[in-house]
């Protein structure tokens, strides 16, 4: 059974940092292409970042480029998102999602809430 | 402002057929496949349709997808109350080098 569990969210002041984690089980993580996708309260879905199965290829949305960094540890079956320079507009529920191809998000976690406020 | 355009709302009565549209451009829908995600209230999104018109295992055949040029559609036939949800289209964008989503369509079953 595929399972993705996010953690690391919380309340942080503007300009602060957070590191999100996504622990996966039930599939061969090293075969999966992964992304972080966020959803601001009451709003739609916004893709944040992508990482290939090997970790070599990474992409970022313009809104987070230069501030966020995606990484993975295939030995630990974990995906990460280092978020620096946080802004109020980064407040959202952050989902990790991925699949065995880079073509769609087959599986999703339940999300971890990040709130940026003074 | 989302890169892919969806109507904010749609509605239908039980048993009806409803269609949700998604409009993009040559850099996204025009050159890549479209996926549809269903988000039931208070839950994480779920893959509903992939590669324009394929249903993942477990998705009822009441759901179908299509694509033409720079637009895509999701059709739901035999509408049921449990179909009440938000529906999002998504595609890779070659110009942005990233995934783009539609703004979502809230489906209400009357």
């Amino acid at each position: 059974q595929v399972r993705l569990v996010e953690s690391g969210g919380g309340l942080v002041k503007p300009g602060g940092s957070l590191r999100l984690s996504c622990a996966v089980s039930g599939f061969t993580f090293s075969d999966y292409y992964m992304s972080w996708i966020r959803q601001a309260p009451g709003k739609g879905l916004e893709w944040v970042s992508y990482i290939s199965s090997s970790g070599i290829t990474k992409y970022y949305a313009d809104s987070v480029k230069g501030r966020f960094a995606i990484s993975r540890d295939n030995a630990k079956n974990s995906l990460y998102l280092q978020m620096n320079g946080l802004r109020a507009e980064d407040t959202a529920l952050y989902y990790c999602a991925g699949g065995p191809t880079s073509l769609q998000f087959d599986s999703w976690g339940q999300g971890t809430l990040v709130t940026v406020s003074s | 402002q989302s890169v892919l355009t969806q109507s904010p709302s749609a509605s239908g009565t039980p048993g009806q057929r409803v269609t949700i549209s998604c409009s993009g451009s040559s850099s996204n829908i025009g050159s890549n496949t479209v996926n549809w995600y269903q988000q039931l209230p208070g839950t994480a999104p779920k893959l509903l349709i992939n590669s324009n018109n394929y249903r993942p295992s477990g998705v009822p055949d009441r759901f179908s997808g299509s694509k033409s040029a720079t637009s895509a559609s999701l059709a739901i036939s035999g509408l049921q109350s449990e179909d009440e949800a938000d529906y999002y289209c998504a595609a890779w964008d070659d110009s942005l080098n990233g995934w783009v989503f539609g703004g979502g369509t809230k489906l209400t079953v009357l």
Side-chain angles (χ1 to χ4, degrees):
Chain A
Q1 179 186 355
V2 173
R3 192 159 184 247
L4 295 82
V5 179
E6 302 92 338
S7 62
L11 175 63
V12 61
K13 288 181 168 52
S17 299
L18 274 179
R19 188 193 194 210
L20 305 184
S21 299
C22 174
V24 308
S25 59
F27 60 94
T28 304
F29 181 60
S30 58
D31 289 342
Y32 266 50
Y33 299 78
M34 300 297 296
S35 279
W36 287 96
I37 296 154
R38 67 186 181 185
Q39 187 169 33
K43 302 296 185 182
L45 301 173
E46 179 190 14
W47 169 80
V48 173
S49 184
Y50 159 92
I51 187 168
S52 61
S53 57
S54 65
I56 292 175
T57 302
K58 303 175 184 180
Y59 296 114
Y60 298 92
D62 287 343
S63 57
V64 306
K65 206 171 290 183
R67 300 188 298 124
F68 289 12
I70 192 171
S71 63
R72 66 190 294 160
D73 186 334
N74 287 344
K76 293 184 177 180
N77 289 343
S78 293
L79 174 73
Y80 306 101
L81 185 68
Q82 178 65 43
M83 304 187 296
N84 300 326
L86 282 162
R87 306 167 180 165
E89 53 264 37
D90 295 319
T91 294
L93 187 62
Y94 283 72
Y95 295 102
C96 65
T101 79
S102 60
L103 299 177
Q104 68 261 354
F105 309 120
D106 297 81
S107 303
W108 296 65
Q110 289 305 302
T112 186
L113 182 62
V114 172
T115 303
V116 184
S117 175
S118 54
Chain B
Q1 193 82 357
S2 301
V3 174
L4 304 183
T5 301
Q6 296 181 241
S7 296
S9 63
S11 63
T13 57
Q16 264 191 333
R17 182 178 189 272
V18 297
T19 301
I20 296 170
S21 62
C22 175
S23 178
S25 67
S26 58
S27 63
N28 42 66
I29 294 178
S31 50
N32 296 293
T33 59
V34 177
N35 304 314
W36 290 90
Y37 299 90
Q38 177 193 57
Q39 187 174 32
L40 297 170
T43 70
K46 165 193 161 185
L47 180 63
L48 192 66
I49 297 287
N50 65 275
S51 301
N52 303 328
N53 55 12
Y54 288 90
R55 286 184 307 277
S57 174
V59 174
D61 59 7
R62 302 186 295 104
F63 295 90
S64 61
S66 63
K67 186 185 106 167
S68 178
T70 59
S71 293
S73 293
L74 171 71
I76 309 171
S77 60
L79 198 61
Q80 298 181 3
S81 58
E82 55 260 40
D83 298 333
E84 195 159 278
D86 293 324
Y87 293 86
Y88 296 91
C89 58
W92 180 263
D93 192 295
D94 292 333
S95 295
L96 298 175
N97 259 342
W99 288 96
V100 291
F101 282 93
T105 297
K106 184 176 185 62
L107 175 64
T108 301
V109 181
L110 302 169

